[in-house]
Amino acid sequence: MTTPAPVPVPAARPVKRRRLLKTALIAVPAVVVAGAGAAGIVWANSVTDTTGEVDFKNPLAVPPLAQSTVDGEGRRVFELTLQSGQRQFKDGAATGTWGFNGDYLGPTIRATRGETVLFNIHNTLGETTSVHWHGMHLPPTADGGPHQSVHAGNTWSPSWKIEQQAASLWYHPHPHGETFLHVYRGLAGMFLIDDEESAALALPKDYGLDDFPLIVQDRTFDGDNQFDESQGLIANVGYLGDEILVNGTHSPYLDVTTTRVRLRILNGSGSRAFNFGFADDRTFALIGTDGGLRDVPYGTDRIQLSPAERAEIVVEMTPGEKVVLRSYPAEGLGMDLFSSRFDGCDDSFDVLELRAAATLAESPAVPAELVEIPELDADKSAETRDFQISGFTLNGEAMDMERIDFAVRKDSVEIWELENFDSQFHNFHVHDVQFQVLKVNGKKPPEHLRGWKDTVHVKPGGKTRIIMQFKDFADPDMPYMCHCHVLYHEDQGLMGQFVVLDKGQKVGKPPKDGHVGH
Ligand code: C2O
Ligand code: CU
């Protein structure tokens, strides 16, 4: 087991671009004072704010629950077909899209802890892709990463036993270098896990009645109403959209019929951080993070999510009222003025209007205690690893499908120190496990980062320390991924591969042409 040695930061492309941008913008205050100049216009136009401008005229789509059958071996079987289609998001032309079992996004998959699931994934897209189960604890051969690509016309049938607590996970493609586009075109869906503990809690849990997934995505439509797939000109994070879709609905509203609603929010954007809160700054209860329910609810008026992070919240409503869920400018991300502006962190959006009926069914109060979360013990850590995040590289190297970057031992607890060497926005996601955040810049993590996480933001110039345990699924040849979930960064190579080894095993080799299915 080796800890990657510190490597000098290479002059990656975005670093250069950022320097140029800064140089160009140093003159901004003078130009703005003068009231003219291209730099001033670029600066002013680079902030997006849709608050107060969204007409909330479309009922929020709720993704249907995926149909399933139980086969002779007791496995819950789902069929997922990746297909292209069209969706009428707004007035004018329909938009060309991709989806699972439909034209945009996918059905919500639901399974219970202890069940074995089997998916038949049919790729009818005409190009190679994959389907990854984000946040799932499962064998690397079923993970759906870049080594499990499914060629056009093929069907892949992964199966595994669900062995983790109730959680709001999600699924999306993960083809090497193409993840952003495939997700952007519409391939994403929720994967909800249930268990006995969550079923016994008095939380809103009637899907589509008082319990709703919110897949929040930014998109830009071009003049023909098609998704603009060109790269953002000056954003270091890649593409930033200027309009919001929730569950594929543009300008959505949601009719609320109970005094409390549970929202399972997924930041399904490729590059954008959201800082969710309500227009009247009401407090809501944060009940769950990426990997499941928290130990106790946390009352807050904002929840910030970087790409791929999830939050489960419970919001109280009074009869007849309307309130808008917004995304506010980012807070506490430690961004400098320029990066913040050009990475979209100054933007604001109206996301969804909640409309309460004149009379509401009474929901029980949110329980004061939710689930038990065993704290991983830092003293038991077998290894501390450093991860230097910079430009499009992890520890100085871009992703190489044939290179396994490191190995962890099955059953071991490890501490990973994530360090952002840039002034720009990055986060970090680990496959296979849920982790706990130990420290953010040497301090106790903020309350909203307590509990199980699989993705976490890493501040510019900052360090985030996480702890995790690799309990199962040793496989010397088939790696798991760890990477920045800013999909543009991931696609450009900000990703590494690791294997889990059993006693006596040595690091092997990933299969050459890692495609699966037939
Ligand atoms: Cu959401 Cu490596 O993925
Ligand atoms: Cu990044």
Side-chain angles (χ1 to χ4, degrees):
M1 279 195 295
T2 53
T3 303
V7 181
V9 179
R13 204 148 46 86
V15 177
K16 267 191 216 149
R17 208 188 319 153
R18 197 170 50 248
R19 282 205 197 107
L20 280 179
L21 186 68
K22 277 183 188 165
T23 322
L25 286 169
I26 286 171
V28 164
V31 175
V32 170
V33 168
I41 290 164
V42 168
W43 180 254
N45 285 348
S46 57
V47 70
T48 303
D49 182 356
T50 70
T51 57
E53 282 166 21
V54 173
D55 55 13
F56 304 115
K57 62 177 182 182
N58 300 310
L60 177 76
V62 178
L65 287 173
Q67 302 291 313
S68 62
T69 53
V70 175
D71 73 2
E73 294 169 47
R75 298 178 297 193
R76 183 166 296 285
V77 182
F78 296 89
E79 306 289 325
L80 280 183
T81 300
L82 288 76
Q83 58 195 74
S84 57
Q86 293 209 325
R87 175 67 75 91
Q88 190 78 46
F89 291 108
K90 38 195 247 174
D91 295 342
T95 307
T97 52
W98 285 2
F100 294 97
N101 300 355
D103 51 31
Y104 191 73
L105 299 177
T108 295
I109 294 159
R110 206 147 191 177
T112 303
R113 180 173 193 162
E115 276 189 307
T116 295
V117 291
L118 169 76
F119 287 86
N120 293 312
I121 291 172
H122 313 284
N123 178 5
T124 72
L125 287 174
E127 56 185 283
T128 299
T129 190
S130 82
V131 180
H132 165 59
W133 318 100
H134 182 120
M136 193 73 71
H137 178 52
L138 78 183
T141 47
D143 191 40
H147 293 283
Q148 287 89 43
S149 55
V150 184
H151 289 336
N154 282 4
T155 293
W156 177 47
S157 303
S159 177
W160 70 93
K161 186 177 179 198
I162 307 269
E163 244 332 326
Q164 67 198 88
Q165 73 175 72
S168 300
L169 311 182
W170 65 299
Y171 59 102
H172 66 78
H174 212 304
H176 186 41
E178 307 263 308
T179 297
F180 166 73
L181 273 184
H182 290 202
V183 176
Y184 192 70
R185 290 171 183 165
L187 293 176
M190 299 296 291
F191 196 137
L192 308 185
I193 298 177
D194 299 302
D195 66 7
E196 281 175 19
E197 273 183 291
S198 68
L201 284 167
L203 289 169
K205 50 168 108 53
D206 276 334
Y207 187 83
L209 282 174
D210 60 9
D211 179 358
F212 301 91
L214 299 183
I215 303 174
V216 185
Q217 301 175 302
D218 63 342
R219 293 289 183 273
T220 294
F221 295 86
D222 68 14
D224 300 321
N225 260 4
Q226 303 309 301
F227 289 147
D228 187 343
E229 295 186 350
S230 62
Q231 216 38 256
L233 268 183
I234 38 183
N236 289 314
V237 289
Y239 198 73
L240 293 169
D242 58 9
E243 296 186 68
I244 299 295
L245 298 176
V246 185
N247 300 344
T249 311
H250 189 268
S251 307
Y253 72 88
L254 174 63
D255 282 324
V256 171
T257 57
T258 54
T259 57
R260 291 184 176 83
V261 283
R262 177 185 192 165
L263 304 174
R264 305 177 188 242
I265 309 175
L266 158 67
N267 180 347
S269 295
S271 305
R272 179 179 288 289
F274 290 113
N275 186 17
F276 294 106
F278 290 91
D280 61 357
D281 292 329
R282 74 182 54 194
T283 298
F284 50 86
L286 177 69
I287 58 164
T289 51
D290 302 337
L293 293 172
R294 287 169 49 94
D295 50 358
V296 292
Y298 165 54
T300 179
D301 59 2
R302 293 285 184 275
I303 182 68
Q304 196 152 264
L305 299 178
S306 69
E309 285 185 291
R310 285 89 66 209
E312 290 191 32
I313 66 170
V314 174
V315 192
E316 283 186 42
M317 299 288 289
T318 55
E321 73 166 340
K322 287 182 182 173
V323 67
V324 175
L325 176 67
R326 287 193 164 148
S327 176
Y328 291 90
E331 286 169 87
L333 290 187
M335 312 279 291
D336 66 63
L337 218 59
F338 300 102
S339 304
S340 180
R341 175 61 59 95
F342 289 104
D343 290 355
C345 299
D346 293 351
D347 297 345
S348 315
F349 295 95
D350 272 355
V351 174
L352 169 72
E353 186 174 67
L354 299 183
R355 298 180 184 169
T359 49
L360 298 175
E362 191 65 38
S363 323
V366 175
E369 284 181 17
L370 299 170
V371 302
E372 213 169 306
I373 299 186
E375 219 172 285
L376 292 179
D377 185 353
D379 292 337
K380 298 233 166 75
S381 167
E383 186 84 36
T384 299
R385 290 175 203 278
D386 291 322
F387 293 85
Q388 303 186 348
I389 303 166
S390 179
F392 300 142
T393 63
L394 190 57
N395 289 329
E397 292 193 284
M399 163 81 174
D400 179 342
M401 288 282 282
E402 288 171 27
R403 184 191 70 233
I404 290 171
D405 295 281
F406 61 101
V408 303
R409 288 282 162 196
K410 186 163 115 30
D411 290 321
S412 66
V413 172
E414 293 209 354
I415 292 174
W416 292 10
E417 181 131 296
L418 316 171
E419 192 167 2
N420 179 352
F421 274 69
D422 297 336
S423 57
Q424 73 179 83
F425 184 88
H426 291 294
N427 71 4
F428 200 78
H429 167 52
V430 186
H431 286 212
D432 176 40
V433 290
Q434 292 288 335
F435 54 75
Q436 291 172 0
V437 180
L438 288 176
K439 293 258 154 82
V440 175
N441 287 356
K443 296 208 190 78
K444 231 177 101 180
E447 184 62 30
H448 72 275
L449 295 182
R450 288 188 47 240
W452 294 112
K453 298 282 297 164
D454 57 50
T455 309
V456 71
H457 172 258
V458 187
K459 289 185 187 191
K463 286 185 190 171
T464 296
R465 237 173 133 78
I466 59 176
I467 185 167
M468 70 215 87
Q469 186 170 22
F470 299 90
K471 285 189 185 155
D472 303 290
F473 312 129
D475 186 331
D477 299 315
M478 187 57 79
Y480 293 106
M481 307 295 130
C482 56
H483 57 90
C484 178
H485 219 290
V486 170
L487 296 180
Y488 175 57
H489 295 173
E490 173 189 338
D491 284 342
Q492 298 297 318
L494 210 177
M495 176 151 69
Q497 314 193 80
F498 66 96
V499 289
V500 179
L501 297 180
D502 229 329
K503 275 198 198 67
Q505 283 183 329
K506 285 208 179 68
V507 176
K509 259 199 172 12
K512 262 259 179 263
D513 173 18
H515 80 275
V516 288
H518 49 267

